[in-house]
Amino acid sequence: MANNEESRGLKSLLDWFANRRKSGSTILEPQEREIADGLWHKCSNCGVLTYTKDLRANQMVCVECGHHNRVDSDERIRQLIDMNSWRSIDEHLRPTDPLQFRDRKPYIDRLRETQDKLNLVDAVKTGFGQINGLSVGLGVMDFRFMGGSMGSVVGEKLTRLIEQATQRRYPVVIVCTSGGARMQEGMLSLMQMAKISAALQRHQQARLLYIPVLTNPTTGGVTASFAMLGDIIIAEPKATIGFAGRRVIEQTLREKLPEEFQTAEDLLKHGFVDEIVPRTQLKQSLAQLIALHQPPTPTTTHNNMVVWETRTLSSTSVE
């Protein structure tokens, strides 16, 4: 009896499948919605999807976990400089290939490809602008251009920026992000460390302010020179800051380094960094520091005596 019922059940099931094939009825599979490229951004730290427009409004900082995504030089200038106040300088300076260097491809070809792809001349942009109405000389490195490596043009542009700022008695802010010196230019690249440092020394002797902002990553010859020569050194949260790479140090010491090694938080704890400032507060913090350190300006009284007037935070409008 039971076998007959099972047989009838199996036969009816087979008939159902046969009828379904004949009728051509199919179950429509749900189709995935197409998402426009660049419309959403997935956080590399927490995995949360964020509308790209909202992420940019928050200066490319994840609203969920606070992760600071890397930004290019143009975006950084928009974040820091007042609208319509930016004036770029030394855009005509272009890198050359003095050593005729070649690895898998000639260095000059690598330069051209990178320039065409990114629409950048080299790994830094320099110029003058205003931060909340306060004049400043600003240099912004771009990690997309050969890892933000410091070649001859990077060194020359930063040196000219500092020298012009010294003449104008402007403070200097340099946003650092770099893998270090550019090996394709050999000793000429290493010479930039001393050249920039000398310009900063003259800037300091003029009693003018210099603030480096260390972003992720800041390593190599940049860390060994102008990134650590600031009057006040600011870093972004969780930024990697160091000279040699973590793996090189571990292989040399034959020891496992702590997880927080070479992070901005670890450097702050050991006194190498003065302050960690989230990107969303960076412009306001820079404006306050610049206002507090404004150089005295000479004024002439009625009897032609020169009096030095010192500007304070209360006499300077800060947004």
Side-chain angles (χ1 to χ4, degrees), residues 76 124 138-143 148 158 173-179 210-219 222-223 225-228 233-234 236 239-241:
R76 183 75 69 170
V124 71
L138 177 67
V140 181
M141 304 190 74
D142 198 318
F143 194 79
L158 288 175
V173 175
I174 298 179
V175 181
C176 307
T177 176
S178 176
Y210 165 53
I211 303 176
V213 179
L214 313 185
T215 67
N216 184 54
T218 300
T219 58
V222 171
T223 304
S225 56
F226 61 88
M228 287 295 177
I233 302 176
I234 294 176
E236 286 190 339
T240 297
I241 304 166

PDB file of all heavy atoms in Angstrom, residues 76 124 138-143 148 158 173-179 210-219 222-223 225-228 233-234 236 239-241:
ATOM      1  N   ARG A  76      43.001  68.040  -1.841  1.00  0.00           N
ATOM      2  CA  ARG A  76      43.554  68.591  -0.599  1.00  0.00           C
ATOM      3  C   ARG A  76      43.576  70.112  -0.638  1.00  0.00           C
ATOM      4  O   ARG A  76      43.263  70.773   0.363  1.00  0.00           O
ATOM      5  CB  ARG A  76      44.968  68.053  -0.407  1.00  0.00           C
ATOM      6  CG  ARG A  76      45.640  68.488   0.883  1.00  0.00           C
ATOM      7  CD  ARG A  76      45.104  67.762   2.083  1.00  0.00           C
ATOM      8  NE  ARG A  76      45.472  66.353   2.082  1.00  0.00           N
ATOM      9  CZ  ARG A  76      45.294  65.545   3.115  1.00  0.00           C
ATOM     10  NH1 ARG A  76      44.744  66.020   4.242  1.00  0.00           N
ATOM     11  NH2 ARG A  76      45.620  64.272   3.054  1.00  0.00           N
ATOM     12  N   VAL A 124      54.334  67.033  -6.522  1.00  0.00           N
ATOM     13  CA  VAL A 124      53.985  68.090  -5.573  1.00  0.00           C
ATOM     14  C   VAL A 124      53.385  69.273  -6.322  1.00  0.00           C
ATOM     15  O   VAL A 124      53.748  69.546  -7.474  1.00  0.00           O
ATOM     16  CB  VAL A 124      55.231  68.545  -4.763  1.00  0.00           C
ATOM     17  CG1 VAL A 124      56.211  69.316  -5.626  1.00  0.00           C
ATOM     18  CG2 VAL A 124      54.822  69.372  -3.548  1.00  0.00           C
ATOM     19  N   LEU A 138      51.667  77.071   0.519  1.00  0.00           N
ATOM     20  CA  LEU A 138      51.233  75.685   0.696  1.00  0.00           C
ATOM     21  C   LEU A 138      51.870  74.781  -0.350  1.00  0.00           C
ATOM     22  O   LEU A 138      51.849  75.073  -1.540  1.00  0.00           O
ATOM     23  CB  LEU A 138      49.706  75.585   0.585  1.00  0.00           C
ATOM     24  CG  LEU A 138      49.103  74.179   0.679  1.00  0.00           C
ATOM     25  CD1 LEU A 138      49.293  73.600   2.079  1.00  0.00           C
ATOM     26  CD2 LEU A 138      47.618  74.205   0.311  1.00  0.00           C
ATOM     27  N   GLY A 139      52.429  73.668   0.129  1.00  0.00           N
ATOM     28  CA  GLY A 139      52.909  72.609  -0.747  1.00  0.00           C
ATOM     29  C   GLY A 139      52.145  71.334  -0.441  1.00  0.00           C
ATOM     30  O   GLY A 139      52.000  70.976   0.727  1.00  0.00           O
ATOM     31  N   VAL A 140      51.660  70.658  -1.475  1.00  0.00           N
ATOM     32  CA  VAL A 140      50.868  69.446  -1.289  1.00  0.00           C
ATOM     33  C   VAL A 140      51.465  68.334  -2.145  1.00  0.00           C
ATOM     34  O   VAL A 140      51.505  68.438  -3.373  1.00  0.00           O
ATOM     35  CB  VAL A 140      49.389  69.661  -1.670  1.00  0.00           C
ATOM     36  CG1 VAL A 140      48.594  68.378  -1.443  1.00  0.00           C
ATOM     37  CG2 VAL A 140      48.785  70.800  -0.868  1.00  0.00           C
ATOM     38  N   MET A 141      51.921  67.271  -1.514  1.00  0.00           N
ATOM     39  CA  MET A 141      52.476  66.129  -2.228  1.00  0.00           C
ATOM     40  C   MET A 141      51.343  65.203  -2.667  1.00  0.00           C
ATOM     41  O   MET A 141      50.293  65.140  -2.027  1.00  0.00           O
ATOM     42  CB  MET A 141      53.483  65.391  -1.348  1.00  0.00           C
ATOM     43  CG  MET A 141      54.611  66.273  -0.823  1.00  0.00           C
ATOM     44  SD  MET A 141      55.932  65.353  -0.018  1.00  0.00           S
ATOM     45  CE  MET A 141      56.737  64.611  -1.438  1.00  0.00           C
ATOM     46  N   ASP A 142      51.588  64.474  -3.750  1.00  0.00           N
ATOM     47  CA  ASP A 142      50.575  63.590  -4.326  1.00  0.00           C
ATOM     48  C   ASP A 142      51.163  62.189  -4.463  1.00  0.00           C
ATOM     49  O   ASP A 142      52.074  61.965  -5.260  1.00  0.00           O
ATOM     50  CB  ASP A 142      50.114  64.117  -5.685  1.00  0.00           C
ATOM     51  CG  ASP A 142      48.784  63.512  -6.119  1.00  0.00           C
ATOM     52  OD1 ASP A 142      48.606  62.294  -5.938  1.00  0.00           O
ATOM     53  OD2 ASP A 142      47.932  64.262  -6.628  1.00  0.00           O
ATOM     54  N   PHE A 143      50.633  61.237  -3.683  1.00  0.00           N
ATOM     55  CA  PHE A 143      51.192  59.889  -3.653  1.00  0.00           C
ATOM     56  C   PHE A 143      50.954  59.133  -4.960  1.00  0.00           C
ATOM     57  O   PHE A 143      51.650  58.161  -5.254  1.00  0.00           O
ATOM     58  CB  PHE A 143      50.588  59.102  -2.483  1.00  0.00           C
ATOM     59  CG  PHE A 143      51.341  57.832  -2.155  1.00  0.00           C
ATOM     60  CD1 PHE A 143      52.512  57.884  -1.419  1.00  0.00           C
ATOM     61  CD2 PHE A 143      50.883  56.604  -2.581  1.00  0.00           C
ATOM     62  CE1 PHE A 143      53.219  56.727  -1.130  1.00  0.00           C
ATOM     63  CE2 PHE A 143      51.571  55.439  -2.290  1.00  0.00           C
ATOM     64  CZ  PHE A 143      52.744  55.506  -1.554  1.00  0.00           C
ATOM     65  N   GLY A 148      54.684  59.471  -4.630  1.00  0.00           N
ATOM     66  CA  GLY A 148      55.050  60.728  -3.981  1.00  0.00           C
ATOM     67  C   GLY A 148      56.546  60.872  -3.782  1.00  0.00           C
ATOM     68  O   GLY A 148      56.987  61.598  -2.885  1.00  0.00           O
ATOM     69  N   LEU A 158      59.566  72.896  -3.724  1.00  0.00           N
ATOM     70  CA  LEU A 158      59.381  73.166  -2.295  1.00  0.00           C
ATOM     71  C   LEU A 158      60.377  74.222  -1.807  1.00  0.00           C
ATOM     72  O   LEU A 158      60.024  75.083  -0.988  1.00  0.00           O
ATOM     73  CB  LEU A 158      59.541  71.873  -1.488  1.00  0.00           C
ATOM     74  CG  LEU A 158      58.398  70.865  -1.628  1.00  0.00           C
ATOM     75  CD1 LEU A 158      58.716  69.585  -0.881  1.00  0.00           C
ATOM     76  CD2 LEU A 158      57.082  71.450  -1.114  1.00  0.00           C
ATOM     77  N   VAL A 173      52.984  75.783   5.018  1.00  0.00           N
ATOM     78  CA  VAL A 173      52.393  74.492   5.370  1.00  0.00           C
ATOM     79  C   VAL A 173      52.696  73.525   4.237  1.00  0.00           C
ATOM     80  O   VAL A 173      52.456  73.846   3.071  1.00  0.00           O
ATOM     81  CB  VAL A 173      50.864  74.600   5.572  1.00  0.00           C
ATOM     82  CG1 VAL A 173      50.259  73.216   5.824  1.00  0.00           C
ATOM     83  CG2 VAL A 173      50.532  75.544   6.721  1.00  0.00           C
ATOM     84  N   ILE A 174      53.260  72.366   4.579  1.00  0.00           N
ATOM     85  CA  ILE A 174      53.523  71.331   3.576  1.00  0.00           C
ATOM     86  C   ILE A 174      52.786  70.063   3.998  1.00  0.00           C
ATOM     87  O   ILE A 174      53.004  69.544   5.096  1.00  0.00           O
ATOM     88  CB  ILE A 174      55.021  71.047   3.423  1.00  0.00           C
ATOM     89  CG1 ILE A 174      55.769  72.300   2.952  1.00  0.00           C
ATOM     90  CG2 ILE A 174      55.249  69.904   2.429  1.00  0.00           C
ATOM     91  CD1 ILE A 174      57.265  72.110   2.799  1.00  0.00           C
ATOM     92  N   VAL A 175      51.908  69.587   3.119  1.00  0.00           N
ATOM     93  CA  VAL A 175      51.193  68.330   3.356  1.00  0.00           C
ATOM     94  C   VAL A 175      52.044  67.215   2.762  1.00  0.00           C
ATOM     95  O   VAL A 175      52.226  67.134   1.547  1.00  0.00           O
ATOM     96  CB  VAL A 175      49.794  68.361   2.717  1.00  0.00           C
ATOM     97  CG1 VAL A 175      49.064  67.043   2.998  1.00  0.00           C
ATOM     98  CG2 VAL A 175      48.986  69.536   3.257  1.00  0.00           C
ATOM     99  N   CYS A 176      52.571  66.360   3.631  1.00  0.00           N
ATOM    100  CA  CYS A 176      53.535  65.341   3.223  1.00  0.00           C
ATOM    101  C   CYS A 176      52.864  63.990   3.008  1.00  0.00           C
ATOM    102  O   CYS A 176      52.056  63.549   3.838  1.00  0.00           O
ATOM    103  CB  CYS A 176      54.622  65.177   4.284  1.00  0.00           C
ATOM    104  SG  CYS A 176      55.440  66.717   4.774  1.00  0.00           S
ATOM    105  N   THR A 177      53.189  63.340   1.912  1.00  0.00           N
ATOM    106  CA  THR A 177      52.878  61.931   1.690  1.00  0.00           C
ATOM    107  C   THR A 177      53.857  61.422   0.663  1.00  0.00           C
ATOM    108  O   THR A 177      53.908  61.926  -0.468  1.00  0.00           O
ATOM    109  CB  THR A 177      51.420  61.717   1.229  1.00  0.00           C
ATOM    110  OG1 THR A 177      51.216  60.336   0.932  1.00  0.00           O
ATOM    111  CG2 THR A 177      51.071  62.545   0.007  1.00  0.00           C
ATOM    112  N   SER A 178      54.679  60.444   1.054  1.00  0.00           N
ATOM    113  CA  SER A 178      55.771  60.050   0.171  1.00  0.00           C
ATOM    114  C   SER A 178      56.343  58.703   0.577  1.00  0.00           C
ATOM    115  O   SER A 178      56.321  58.334   1.751  1.00  0.00           O
ATOM    116  CB  SER A 178      56.878  61.110   0.206  1.00  0.00           C
ATOM    117  OG  SER A 178      57.998  60.707  -0.566  1.00  0.00           O
ATOM    118  N   GLY A 179      56.868  57.998  -0.417  1.00  0.00           N
ATOM    119  CA  GLY A 179      57.614  56.778  -0.153  1.00  0.00           C
ATOM    120  C   GLY A 179      59.092  57.036   0.025  1.00  0.00           C
ATOM    121  O   GLY A 179      59.853  56.120   0.305  1.00  0.00           O
ATOM    122  N   TYR A 210      56.485  77.345  10.293  1.00  0.00           N
ATOM    123  CA  TYR A 210      56.430  76.232   9.342  1.00  0.00           C
ATOM    124  C   TYR A 210      55.711  75.047   9.996  1.00  0.00           C
ATOM    125  O   TYR A 210      56.096  74.606  11.085  1.00  0.00           O
ATOM    126  CB  TYR A 210      57.833  75.814   8.903  1.00  0.00           C
ATOM    127  CG  TYR A 210      57.859  74.460   8.207  1.00  0.00           C
ATOM    128  CD1 TYR A 210      57.021  74.182   7.127  1.00  0.00           C
ATOM    129  CD2 TYR A 210      58.723  73.451   8.640  1.00  0.00           C
ATOM    130  CE1 TYR A 210      57.044  72.943   6.497  1.00  0.00           C
ATOM    131  CE2 TYR A 210      58.752  72.221   8.016  1.00  0.00           C
ATOM    132  CZ  TYR A 210      57.915  71.967   6.952  1.00  0.00           C
ATOM    133  OH  TYR A 210      57.920  70.746   6.333  1.00  0.00           O
ATOM    134  N   ILE A 211      54.673  74.542   9.322  1.00  0.00           N
ATOM    135  CA  ILE A 211      53.890  73.421   9.838  1.00  0.00           C
ATOM    136  C   ILE A 211      53.844  72.314   8.788  1.00  0.00           C
ATOM    137  O   ILE A 211      53.240  72.496   7.727  1.00  0.00           O
ATOM    138  CB  ILE A 211      52.447  73.835  10.195  1.00  0.00           C
ATOM    139  CG1 ILE A 211      52.439  74.979  11.202  1.00  0.00           C
ATOM    140  CG2 ILE A 211      51.663  72.640  10.739  1.00  0.00           C
ATOM    141  CD1 ILE A 211      51.038  75.502  11.518  1.00  0.00           C
ATOM    142  N   PRO A 212      54.472  71.159   9.053  1.00  0.00           N
ATOM    143  CA  PRO A 212      54.262  70.008   8.177  1.00  0.00           C
ATOM    144  C   PRO A 212      53.050  69.206   8.642  1.00  0.00           C
ATOM    145  O   PRO A 212      52.822  69.053   9.847  1.00  0.00           O
ATOM    146  CB  PRO A 212      55.555  69.202   8.356  1.00  0.00           C
ATOM    147  CG  PRO A 212      56.037  69.556   9.720  1.00  0.00           C
ATOM    148  CD  PRO A 212      55.522  70.931  10.049  1.00  0.00           C
ATOM    149  N   VAL A 213      52.263  68.722   7.691  1.00  0.00           N
ATOM    150  CA  VAL A 213      51.110  67.866   7.997  1.00  0.00           C
ATOM    151  C   VAL A 213      51.429  66.482   7.441  1.00  0.00           C
ATOM    152  O   VAL A 213      51.534  66.297   6.226  1.00  0.00           O
ATOM    153  CB  VAL A 213      49.818  68.420   7.370  1.00  0.00           C
ATOM    154  CG1 VAL A 213      48.641  67.504   7.689  1.00  0.00           C
ATOM    155  CG2 VAL A 213      49.535  69.833   7.879  1.00  0.00           C
ATOM    156  N   LEU A 214      51.608  65.514   8.320  1.00  0.00           N
ATOM    157  CA  LEU A 214      52.031  64.177   7.925  1.00  0.00           C
ATOM    158  C   LEU A 214      50.808  63.305   7.669  1.00  0.00           C
ATOM    159  O   LEU A 214      49.996  63.077   8.569  1.00  0.00           O
ATOM    160  CB  LEU A 214      52.910  63.552   9.013  1.00  0.00           C
ATOM    161  CG  LEU A 214      54.026  64.453   9.586  1.00  0.00           C
ATOM    162  CD1 LEU A 214      54.891  63.674  10.552  1.00  0.00           C
ATOM    163  CD2 LEU A 214      54.867  65.053   8.468  1.00  0.00           C
ATOM    164  N   THR A 215      50.671  62.836   6.439  1.00  0.00           N
ATOM    165  CA  THR A 215      49.541  61.990   6.074  1.00  0.00           C
ATOM    166  C   THR A 215      50.059  60.603   5.696  1.00  0.00           C
ATOM    167  O   THR A 215      51.268  60.357   5.663  1.00  0.00           O
ATOM    168  CB  THR A 215      48.744  62.600   4.913  1.00  0.00           C
ATOM    169  OG1 THR A 215      49.540  62.584   3.722  1.00  0.00           O
ATOM    170  CG2 THR A 215      48.349  64.038   5.233  1.00  0.00           C
ATOM    171  N   ASN A 216      49.154  59.708   5.419  1.00  0.00           N
ATOM    172  CA  ASN A 216      49.521  58.310   5.175  1.00  0.00           C
ATOM    173  C   ASN A 216      49.867  58.064   3.708  1.00  0.00           C
ATOM    174  O   ASN A 216      49.036  58.329   2.837  1.00  0.00           O
ATOM    175  CB  ASN A 216      48.342  57.417   5.563  1.00  0.00           C
ATOM    176  CG  ASN A 216      48.663  55.942   5.442  1.00  0.00           C
ATOM    177  OD1 ASN A 216      49.643  55.476   6.011  1.00  0.00           O
ATOM    178  ND2 ASN A 216      47.845  55.208   4.709  1.00  0.00           N
ATOM    179  N   PRO A 217      51.096  57.547   3.414  1.00  0.00           N
ATOM    180  CA  PRO A 217      52.231  57.358   4.321  1.00  0.00           C
ATOM    181  C   PRO A 217      53.225  58.507   4.171  1.00  0.00           C
ATOM    182  O   PRO A 217      53.280  59.166   3.138  1.00  0.00           O
ATOM    183  CB  PRO A 217      52.828  56.056   3.804  1.00  0.00           C
ATOM    184  CG  PRO A 217      52.608  56.128   2.309  1.00  0.00           C
ATOM    185  CD  PRO A 217      51.314  56.876   2.100  1.00  0.00           C
ATOM    186  N   THR A 218      54.042  58.714   5.199  1.00  0.00           N
ATOM    187  CA  THR A 218      55.162  59.655   5.123  1.00  0.00           C
ATOM    188  C   THR A 218      56.401  58.899   5.552  1.00  0.00           C
ATOM    189  O   THR A 218      56.569  58.591   6.739  1.00  0.00           O
ATOM    190  CB  THR A 218      54.934  60.876   6.024  1.00  0.00           C
ATOM    191  OG1 THR A 218      53.747  61.560   5.611  1.00  0.00           O
ATOM    192  CG2 THR A 218      56.107  61.830   5.948  1.00  0.00           C
ATOM    193  N   THR A 219      57.268  58.571   4.604  1.00  0.00           N
ATOM    194  CA  THR A 219      58.408  57.707   4.900  1.00  0.00           C
ATOM    195  C   THR A 219      59.653  58.177   4.158  1.00  0.00           C
ATOM    196  O   THR A 219      59.623  59.115   3.370  1.00  0.00           O
ATOM    197  CB  THR A 219      58.096  56.251   4.486  1.00  0.00           C
ATOM    198  OG1 THR A 219      57.774  56.226   3.083  1.00  0.00           O
ATOM    199  CG2 THR A 219      56.920  55.681   5.260  1.00  0.00           C
ATOM    200  N   VAL A 222      61.780  61.975   2.955  1.00  0.00           N
ATOM    201  CA  VAL A 222      60.900  63.080   3.353  1.00  0.00           C
ATOM    202  C   VAL A 222      60.808  63.148   4.880  1.00  0.00           C
ATOM    203  O   VAL A 222      60.895  64.221   5.475  1.00  0.00           O
ATOM    204  CB  VAL A 222      59.501  62.909   2.714  1.00  0.00           C
ATOM    205  CG1 VAL A 222      58.516  63.907   3.287  1.00  0.00           C
ATOM    206  CG2 VAL A 222      59.603  63.087   1.207  1.00  0.00           C
ATOM    207  N   THR A 223      60.636  61.987   5.511  1.00  0.00           N
ATOM    208  CA  THR A 223      60.615  61.954   6.981  1.00  0.00           C
ATOM    209  C   THR A 223      61.956  62.384   7.549  1.00  0.00           C
ATOM    210  O   THR A 223      62.016  63.055   8.584  1.00  0.00           O
ATOM    211  CB  THR A 223      60.277  60.532   7.474  1.00  0.00           C
ATOM    212  OG1 THR A 223      59.035  60.126   6.904  1.00  0.00           O
ATOM    213  CG2 THR A 223      60.162  60.485   8.984  1.00  0.00           C
ATOM    214  N   SER A 225      63.894  64.566   6.503  1.00  0.00           N
ATOM    215  CA  SER A 225      64.228  65.973   6.264  1.00  0.00           C
ATOM    216  C   SER A 225      63.070  66.875   6.656  1.00  0.00           C
ATOM    217  O   SER A 225      62.755  67.022   7.846  1.00  0.00           O
ATOM    218  CB  SER A 225      64.643  66.179   4.799  1.00  0.00           C
ATOM    219  OG  SER A 225      63.618  65.736   3.917  1.00  0.00           O
ATOM    220  N   PHE A 226      62.382  67.460   5.679  1.00  0.00           N
ATOM    221  CA  PHE A 226      61.462  68.556   5.997  1.00  0.00           C
ATOM    222  C   PHE A 226      60.206  68.126   6.740  1.00  0.00           C
ATOM    223  O   PHE A 226      59.560  68.949   7.377  1.00  0.00           O
ATOM    224  CB  PHE A 226      61.088  69.318   4.715  1.00  0.00           C
ATOM    225  CG  PHE A 226      60.380  68.500   3.665  1.00  0.00           C
ATOM    226  CD1 PHE A 226      59.008  68.367   3.659  1.00  0.00           C
ATOM    227  CD2 PHE A 226      61.108  67.876   2.658  1.00  0.00           C
ATOM    228  CE1 PHE A 226      58.353  67.630   2.678  1.00  0.00           C
ATOM    229  CE2 PHE A 226      60.472  67.143   1.672  1.00  0.00           C
ATOM    230  CZ  PHE A 226      59.088  67.011   1.686  1.00  0.00           C
ATOM    231  N   ALA A 227      59.843  66.852   6.708  1.00  0.00           N
ATOM    232  CA  ALA A 227      58.642  66.421   7.418  1.00  0.00           C
ATOM    233  C   ALA A 227      58.795  66.521   8.928  1.00  0.00           C
ATOM    234  O   ALA A 227      57.803  66.643   9.650  1.00  0.00           O
ATOM    235  CB  ALA A 227      58.285  64.984   7.030  1.00  0.00           C
ATOM    236  N   MET A 228      60.036  66.464   9.421  1.00  0.00           N
ATOM    237  CA  MET A 228      60.272  66.491  10.862  1.00  0.00           C
ATOM    238  C   MET A 228      60.949  67.774  11.331  1.00  0.00           C
ATOM    239  O   MET A 228      61.469  67.827  12.444  1.00  0.00           O
ATOM    240  CB  MET A 228      61.131  65.284  11.269  1.00  0.00           C
ATOM    241  CG  MET A 228      60.388  63.968  11.229  1.00  0.00           C
ATOM    242  SD  MET A 228      59.067  63.922  12.463  1.00  0.00           S
ATOM    243  CE  MET A 228      58.331  62.326  12.103  1.00  0.00           C
ATOM    244  N   ILE A 233      54.364  70.017  14.434  1.00  0.00           N
ATOM    245  CA  ILE A 233      54.188  68.887  13.523  1.00  0.00           C
ATOM    246  C   ILE A 233      52.820  68.263  13.767  1.00  0.00           C
ATOM    247  O   ILE A 233      52.525  67.804  14.872  1.00  0.00           O
ATOM    248  CB  ILE A 233      55.294  67.836  13.709  1.00  0.00           C
ATOM    249  CG1 ILE A 233      56.667  68.473  13.479  1.00  0.00           C
ATOM    250  CG2 ILE A 233      55.088  66.658  12.757  1.00  0.00           C
ATOM    251  CD1 ILE A 233      57.829  67.538  13.737  1.00  0.00           C
ATOM    252  N   ILE A 234      52.000  68.256  12.719  1.00  0.00           N
ATOM    253  CA  ILE A 234      50.639  67.707  12.789  1.00  0.00           C
ATOM    254  C   ILE A 234      50.585  66.416  11.978  1.00  0.00           C
ATOM    255  O   ILE A 234      51.239  66.295  10.937  1.00  0.00           O
ATOM    256  CB  ILE A 234      49.619  68.724  12.251  1.00  0.00           C
ATOM    257  CG1 ILE A 234      49.549  69.952  13.170  1.00  0.00           C
ATOM    258  CG2 ILE A 234      48.239  68.114  12.099  1.00  0.00           C
ATOM    259  CD1 ILE A 234      48.624  71.044  12.661  1.00  0.00           C
ATOM    260  N   GLU A 236      47.758  63.164  10.585  1.00  0.00           N
ATOM    261  CA  GLU A 236      46.403  62.645  10.500  1.00  0.00           C
ATOM    262  C   GLU A 236      46.302  61.337  11.274  1.00  0.00           C
ATOM    263  O   GLU A 236      47.292  60.619  11.425  1.00  0.00           O
ATOM    264  CB  GLU A 236      46.005  62.409   9.040  1.00  0.00           C
ATOM    265  CG  GLU A 236      45.714  63.678   8.282  1.00  0.00           C
ATOM    266  CD  GLU A 236      45.084  63.416   6.923  1.00  0.00           C
ATOM    267  OE1 GLU A 236      45.231  62.295   6.390  1.00  0.00           O
ATOM    268  OE2 GLU A 236      44.444  64.339   6.389  1.00  0.00           O
ATOM    269  N   ALA A 239      48.016  57.551  10.483  1.00  0.00           N
ATOM    270  CA  ALA A 239      48.964  57.683   9.375  1.00  0.00           C
ATOM    271  C   ALA A 239      50.227  56.887   9.662  1.00  0.00           C
ATOM    272  O   ALA A 239      50.714  56.849  10.791  1.00  0.00           O
ATOM    273  CB  ALA A 239      49.308  59.156   9.148  1.00  0.00           C
ATOM    274  N   THR A 240      50.768  56.247   8.629  1.00  0.00           N
ATOM    275  CA  THR A 240      52.048  55.548   8.750  1.00  0.00           C
ATOM    276  C   THR A 240      53.174  56.558   8.542  1.00  0.00           C
ATOM    277  O   THR A 240      53.247  57.218   7.509  1.00  0.00           O
ATOM    278  CB  THR A 240      52.162  54.429   7.701  1.00  0.00           C
ATOM    279  OG1 THR A 240      51.137  53.453   7.946  1.00  0.00           O
ATOM    280  CG2 THR A 240      53.515  53.750   7.776  1.00  0.00           C
ATOM    281  N   ILE A 241      54.055  56.658   9.550  1.00  0.00           N
ATOM    282  CA  ILE A 241      55.140  57.646   9.514  1.00  0.00           C
ATOM    283  C   ILE A 241      56.420  56.938   9.954  1.00  0.00           C
ATOM    284  O   ILE A 241      56.468  56.334  11.031  1.00  0.00           O
ATOM    285  CB  ILE A 241      54.858  58.834  10.455  1.00  0.00           C
ATOM    286  CG1 ILE A 241      53.506  59.482  10.106  1.00  0.00           C
ATOM    287  CG2 ILE A 241      55.973  59.860  10.386  1.00  0.00           C
ATOM    288  CD1 ILE A 241      52.993  60.423  11.180  1.00  0.00           C
TER     289      ILE A 241
END
